[in-house]
Amino acid sequence: MTSYPAHWEADVVLRDGGTAHLRPIVPSDSESLQKMHRAQSPESVYLRFFAPMPQIPTKDLDRFVTVDHRTRVAFVLVVGDEVIGVGRFDRIDAESAEVAFNIADAHQGRGIGSILLEHLAVAAREVGITVFTAEVLPQNRPMLQVFAAAGYDVSREFEDGVVAVRFEIDPTDRAMQVIAAREHRAEALSVRSVLHPASVVVIGASRKRHSTGNLLVRNLTSAGFQGQLTVVHPEAESIAGVQTVRSLDELTEPADLAVIAVPAVSVSGVVRDCAAHGVKAVVVISSGFAEAGEEGTALQREVVATARSHGMRVVGPNSFGIANTAPDVALNSSLAPFLPEPGSLGLFSQSGALGTALLARATRLGLGMSTFVSAGNRADLSGNDLLQYWEEDPATKAVGLYLESIGNPRKFSRIARRVSRVKPVVVVKSDLTGQELPPGHQVRLSGLAERAGGALDEILAQAGIIRADSIRQLFDITQVLTAQRLPTGRRVGIIGNSAAMGTLLVQAARAEGLVVDCDPVSLHPEVRADEFSEALAGMYSRDDVDSVIVSFTPSAGASDQEIAEVLSEQAAQAAQTTVACFSGVQGVREELTAFVPGDEGTPERRTVPSYFGPEDAVIALARTTDYAMWRGEDHGHYPELDGIDRRAARSVIDSALDEVDGEGTVVLTPSRTRELAKAYGISVLPHVTTSSVDEALAAADELGYPVALKAVHTRLRHRMELGGVRLNIETAEELRDDYEQVRGVIDSFTQEGPYDIDVQRMAPPGTACVVRGGEDPLLGPVVSFSLSGDTTELVGDIAHRVAPLTDVDASQMLRSVKAAPRLFGYKGLPVMNVEPIEDLLLRISQLVDDFPAIADIAVHPVVATQTESHVLSIRVVLRSAVDRIDSARRRLA
């Protein structure tokens, strides 16, 4: 029997937003399994076993709970100690297995069958199974629907009163889309249950006014929380004017949300008590967890495991709290004694310490907020979860994220790229590579980040994310995004009553990539309101201006209020985006606000955001414009590549992984490398390994001159390549001389022999490029491109993207490196045909996306010519026991 596969365990979010724990079945589950069976209706039992069965016979029960994790695999889904679903497969032959499910009646309709199918398919592929079959009664429509809706190509046959189902379980594009869509709906609902509670219970509040729990109660009441608020206290009759209960036993109905502010050592017990009383989610304000050391880390893991296994989500621990400004919710379950006005910015912060500063700055700027979440140690609820929620939240127009680390950047990139197509996402720049972790944050270290610090910047730009250099800049940018329409182009008009300010604005705009073609309109310092209005109307009437920057300093000719009314009214009606440097006004203020009829006839608020200095205004407008241009671009599609044979590739990889070394890695042999490349439609220039001059001469005759020689250590063939490479050997005489010379060079500096000599056919002249890919521990499957050479490596002129790539990704990636002009006729060089290189990028992208075991694949070099490309060498390193967080099965990190 194979040892217990712990890596198959997972916490999952169900269709209704609740959570459960999925794991392989074990013999001790027999009693729970029998209990679930006895609670099933006769109809459910008949649909599963095709016969009445009041209880599972002992012999069958023993067989159900005893599996070898290879030919017989079974998963149970549990909430607390209750088994709510079982899925299993039994191997039929080398490639196929029969799959079956049993879902508890009380939990049907929660998407359990779909989750079990996803996890069983991943486990099956791991043990070499590629096809699932099932026999289902025609009246078992829910199970037939599970198969039909999974995204696989399912065939059905009806025979002897049973529907025989059969489908290949390789993850198709449609199957992955189905998984992502289900994940999105479930996680969005999960977050909604946290941010829209109908009832809140505070646990840990004391009578002391300055205690954390007391402050939380006062903040909840002062915000006017619209739901039921209760405080748990064993002695006091009331806390901060709110009536108490002695324990959760006294609640008449389960609370939607528990806010916990007890010492860290007591939190796990409190969470367990919440679980027993049906609480849906908890916010843990308490500190003293992973940020405090190993003991705190263990406490944190216990809290999260307890909550998830009982269907609850956790915000925190070490959280500053959460808030929802919607009038029908009015939730301030945070340590901030104030909240910004209701608005359209969704704000997420990992830093509890910065929570007050974030909310205070938003308030000072008049920036309205829809919801706010401080994740603290981000042990469970993360920025990814909030993005899932905000994507379709009608109250949120823009998203701001302060991130100190990213637990799952691959998933973050995938979700953010989807969200950014409909709503802007602004991220405060920080050390997101995982190399410098804040206390309490658990993430993987990125090997790629060590090689190229800008990799994550490129990957987030790929997703359309707006990067901010500071919290101040985050709010500067979100002012434009929430108060103004998006720009339609980069052309900027500048108008104001200060020539010096106008000059500064022009210089700053051009430096940030904006286009200033028309001369700035410089009004005299004592401009009157009518003069300002006329000049402004002229600017807005121009069809060669996409955005307008307005500056105004105090004028003797008009009051600030008069100018503000002119500006706000005209800007509200104009088609252009407007920002301002308006003296005495900073933020999104009533002074610069006007209303226009909305789509449904209701007044729509339009505010001109105003900034302290010209640089702030320009940067905010420039970042917004960059985003608007990205959103309007064609981002391409994921092409259907011909010549892909995933089964052949999986066979090569699986056979090689059986030979992993002590470090858990193995380098593919040249023959296996060629097989793997062939399976993904990549051809390598042929070469022959020789051990004598005569063999080398014969190989050269077969391959055709010119050839190149490469010395390779025989015993360590797949670990290192040594020795001189001689190119353009055109005759047999040259080959004989160089063969002996190369072997002599090798023998002169090492005693590790013997060595073989590879003879390879030469590629025609061209530009050498490098394509790499592999599973980065932090970022997931990453692909990189560069031109070959030491200079490229020294200056870091390398492009990175997260797989999979669209056709546009591949094209832009190749053109984004600084040395790209060498491919397109730089200083008289020939123009190379780059389409084969783009195709290679797409194929490497697909390969590393399909197989996380590929730690590194280096195509070095691939030579681009004017007509085609030639791959000279590929080196592939595999790593065993790879556990990709964001994969073909839904689970929480």
Side-chain angles (χ1 to χ4, degrees):
M1 178 184 294
T2 306
S3 60
Y4 180 82
H7 66 284
W8 285 349
E9 292 194 25
D11 293 321
V12 296
V13 182
L14 306 181
R15 179 182 294 165
D16 58 4
T19 59
H21 185 66
L22 182 146
R23 59 170 171 78
I25 203 166
V26 292
S28 59
D29 288 322
S30 58
E31 183 177 342
S32 298
L33 191 60
Q34 186 73 275
K35 182 179 179 181
M36 185 189 91
H37 179 86
R38 288 173 180 156
Q40 298 289 81
S41 67
E43 180 185 7
S44 294
V45 172
Y46 185 80
L47 291 177
R48 168 64 181 92
F49 296 102
F50 297 8
M53 187 184 294
Q55 71 174 24
I56 304 173
T58 301
K59 181 179 178 181
D60 291 336
L61 187 61
D62 289 342
R63 183 171 60 86
F64 288 161
V65 299
T66 305
V67 296
D68 62 6
H69 310 300
R70 189 165 186 86
T71 61
R72 301 184 65 244
V73 171
F75 291 141
V76 292
L77 203 64
V78 296
V79 174
D81 298 325
E82 179 187 4
V83 172
I84 64 173
V86 185
R88 65 177 65 251
F89 68 75
D90 291 85
R91 188 188 291 267
I92 299 171
D93 52 37
E95 294 185 346
S96 63
E98 184 177 12
V99 65
F101 302 90
N102 193 10
I103 312 302
D105 284 355
H107 295 273
Q108 291 188 6
R110 304 185 71 191
I112 292 172
S114 299
I115 288 175
L116 286 168
L117 178 58
E118 290 172 19
H119 286 256
L120 286 171
V122 170
R125 290 195 296 269
E126 189 174 316
V127 297
I129 291 171
T130 59
V131 175
F132 272 172
T133 67
E135 291 187 347
V136 185
L137 290 173
Q139 59 267 42
N140 193 354
R141 292 177 182 173
M143 189 49 58
L144 290 172
Q145 179 63 23
V146 167
F147 295 131
Y152 298 110
D153 295 325
V154 180
S155 65
R156 299 184 184 185
E157 292 184 5
F158 184 76
E159 186 176 352
D160 296 331
V162 174
V163 179
V165 176
R166 179 182 175 87
F167 54 95
E168 294 185 359
I169 59 174
D170 271 335
T172 64
D173 289 341
R174 180 167 168 262
M176 296 303 295
Q177 290 169 4
V178 168
I179 291 172
R182 288 172 172 166
E183 173 193 66
H184 164 62
R185 288 193 299 269
E187 293 183 355
L189 276 173
S190 180
V191 174
R192 182 175 177 79
S193 69
V194 175
L195 291 174
H196 292 256
S199 55
V200 173
V201 57
V202 179
I203 304 172
S206 76
R207 298 166 180 156
K208 296 179 180 178
R209 180 173 177 81
H210 298 293
S211 68
T212 298
N214 190 290
L215 176 61
L216 288 165
V217 175
R218 285 186 281 114
N219 290 345
L220 280 159
T221 55
S222 63
F225 176 55
Q226 295 298 292
Q228 177 67 40
L229 176 61
T230 309
V231 179
V232 173
H233 195 283
E235 299 174 357
E237 294 294 328
S238 66
I239 298 290
V242 177
Q243 189 172 359
T244 66
V245 295
R246 297 292 183 268
S247 70
L248 293 177
D249 291 331
E250 297 183 21
L251 293 179
T252 56
E253 293 183 1
D256 290 334
L257 179 69
V259 184
I260 301 173
V262 302
V265 293
S266 302
V267 170
S268 185
V270 171
V271 170
R272 194 172 294 107
D273 191 29
C274 289
H277 288 85
V279 176
K280 295 179 181 178
V282 297
V283 177
V284 181
I285 306 296
S286 315
S287 59
F289 289 89
E291 81 281 3
E294 293 183 7
E295 187 175 333
T297 300
L299 287 173
Q300 180 169 301
R301 289 174 176 162
E302 182 181 355
V303 167
V304 174
T306 301
R308 285 179 175 176
S309 65
H310 288 84
M312 299 187 296
R313 298 305 303 268
V314 178
V315 179
N318 197 25
S319 168
F320 184 77
I322 64 174
N324 185 343
T325 65
D328 60 341
V329 180
L331 174 72
N332 181 12
S333 181
S334 80
L335 298 177
F338 53 83
L339 278 181
E341 292 296 315
S344 57
L345 173 64
L347 186 62
F348 175 85
S349 171
Q350 284 182 358
S351 171
L354 282 174
T356 299
L358 288 167
L359 295 177
R361 182 159 185 81
T363 301
R364 286 198 302 271
L365 294 171
L367 189 59
M369 195 171 296
S370 60
T371 42
F372 166 77
V373 173
S374 164
N377 291 358
R378 202 205 60 228
D380 180 27
L381 207 73
S382 69
N384 289 343
D385 296 299
L386 269 298
L387 283 174
Q388 300 275 35
Y389 167 76
W390 279 322
E391 180 178 2
E392 296 177 1
D393 176 33
T396 301
K397 184 177 178 181
V399 173
L401 306 173
Y402 176 78
L403 302 178
E404 295 177 329
S405 63
I406 302 180
N408 187 350
R410 170 176 157 79
K411 181 176 179 180
F412 176 74
S413 178
R414 171 171 59 82
I415 297 173
R417 185 165 189 167
R418 191 182 67 232
V419 176
S420 293
R421 294 176 187 271
V422 294
K423 295 180 182 180
V425 178
V426 187
V427 174
V428 175
K429 188 174 183 179
S430 184
D431 174 43
L432 304 181
T433 62
Q435 306 304 308
E436 298 177 14
L437 297 182
H441 289 238
Q442 306 296 313
V443 302
R444 304 175 180 197
L445 296 182
S446 170
L448 177 62
E450 294 173 352
R451 298 196 299 268
L456 190 59
D457 282 348
E458 294 181 65
I459 288 165
L460 295 184
Q462 178 188 3
I465 294 169
I466 305 170
R467 297 300 303 272
D469 294 330
S470 64
I471 293 172
R472 174 178 174 176
Q473 197 175 95
L474 178 144
F475 285 122
D476 285 348
I477 296 167
T478 53
Q479 287 177 60
V480 187
L481 294 170
T482 56
Q484 288 284 305
R485 58 174 57 84
L486 291 176
T488 57
R490 295 188 178 277
R491 301 168 302 177
V492 176
I494 296 171
I495 182 172
N497 67 333
S498 168
M501 180 69 81
T503 300
L504 290 174
L505 287 168
V506 170
Q507 293 172 345
R510 287 173 174 161
E512 291 297 328
L514 299 175
V515 177
V516 186
D517 284 339
C518 60
D519 293 332
V521 176
S522 182
L523 303 168
H524 60 87
E526 299 181 358
V527 63
R528 300 191 311 272
D530 60 329
E531 294 174 319
F532 197 93
S533 178
E534 181 180 354
L536 199 58
M539 179 65 74
Y540 282 130
S541 69
R542 300 183 65 126
D543 58 9
D544 60 346
V545 170
D546 304 305
S547 299
V548 176
I549 306 176
V550 180
S551 66
F552 177 75
T553 57
S555 167
S559 68
D560 292 356
Q561 182 178 352
E562 289 176 307
I563 299 297
E565 288 178 357
V566 167
L567 172 57
S568 59
E569 290 292 338
Q570 291 205 26
Q573 301 290 336
Q576 290 93 340
T577 306
T578 305
V579 299
C581 292
F582 199 95
S583 178
V585 180
Q586 188 174 359
V588 281
R589 297 296 184 185
E590 292 297 325
E591 297 96 312
L592 294 176
T593 298
F595 292 87
V596 297
D599 294 337
E600 300 178 359
T602 56
E604 183 176 311
R605 179 188 178 101
R606 294 279 176 83
T607 302
V608 177
S610 182
Y611 299 88
F612 176 76
E615 295 84 2
D616 298 335
V618 168
I619 288 174
L621 178 61
R623 297 295 177 271
T624 301
T625 303
D626 290 342
Y627 166 72
M629 298 301 97
W630 177 90
R631 187 160 151 177
E633 291 172 354
D634 175 15
H635 299 290
H637 65 283
Y638 298 105
E640 290 286 339
L641 301 172
D642 57 0
I644 301 292
D645 187 343
R646 289 182 175 86
R647 288 189 182 182
R650 181 176 291 110
S651 176
V652 171
I653 290 172
D654 288 347
S655 61
L657 286 176
D658 291 336
E659 305 169 8
V660 294
D661 60 21
E663 298 177 352
T665 61
V666 62
V667 181
L668 284 191
T669 64
S671 60
R672 281 176 171 166
T673 299
R674 286 192 292 272
E675 288 181 50
L676 182 63
K678 182 180 178 181
Y680 272 69
I682 303 168
S683 59
V684 185
L685 280 180
H687 73 276
V688 177
T689 300
T690 68
S691 57
S692 69
V693 176
D694 290 340
E695 288 180 6
L697 290 169
D701 289 339
E702 179 183 347
L703 296 173
Y705 292 94
V707 296
L709 298 183
K710 184 183 295 183
V712 183
H713 190 286
T714 303
R715 185 162 53 82
L716 303 178
R717 175 185 306 280
H718 318 307
R719 298 270 187 95
M720 64 179 69
E721 294 178 350
L722 302 174
V725 176
R726 172 72 158 88
L727 305 180
N728 293 319
I729 298 173
E730 298 183 351
T731 67
E733 183 175 316
E734 286 182 358
L735 187 147
R736 183 183 297 277
D737 291 343
D738 281 86
Y739 185 97
E740 298 297 349
Q741 182 180 352
V742 169
R743 183 176 289 282
V745 169
I746 295 297
D747 290 341
S748 70
F749 68 78
T750 181
Q751 302 299 317
E752 295 290 334
Y755 285 81
D756 287 338
I757 304 295
D758 279 352
V759 181
Q760 183 171 40
R761 190 175 72 199
M762 285 293 298
T767 302
C769 306
V770 180
V771 174
R772 293 188 69 179
E775 186 77 6
D776 184 84
L778 174 66
L779 304 178
V782 176
V783 180
S784 64
F785 170 81
S786 65
L787 271 65
S788 183
D790 292 343
T791 302
T792 293
E793 296 176 4
L794 288 171
V795 301
D797 187 20
I798 305 172
H800 304 278
R801 300 291 188 275
V802 166
L805 303 181
T806 67
D807 54 347
V808 172
D809 286 334
S811 176
Q812 292 179 345
M813 186 178 182
L814 184 145
R815 290 164 173 80
S816 67
V817 297
K818 295 181 178 63
R822 289 174 51 195
L823 295 166
F824 300 101
Y826 177 71
K827 289 190 175 180
L829 290 173
V831 177
M832 301 303 178
N833 179 12
V834 297
E835 288 187 8
I837 305 291
E838 293 172 1
D839 181 73
L840 177 64
L841 282 167
L842 292 169
R843 292 180 184 277
I844 294 296
S845 159
Q846 188 67 65
L847 177 60
V848 298
D849 191 49
D850 289 343
F851 296 101
I854 298 176
D856 186 48
I857 177 169
V859 184
H860 185 198
V862 51
V863 177
T865 72
Q866 292 174 268
T867 58
E868 54 190 343
S869 67
H870 301 273
V871 175
L872 273 66
S873 175
I874 302 181
R875 185 174 185 271
V876 180
V877 180
L878 304 180
R879 182 184 295 114
S880 63
V882 173
D883 188 20
R884 179 181 287 174
I885 296 177
D886 187 33
S887 63
R889 55 176 183 146
R890 285 173 286 165
R891 61 172 180 148
L892 295 169

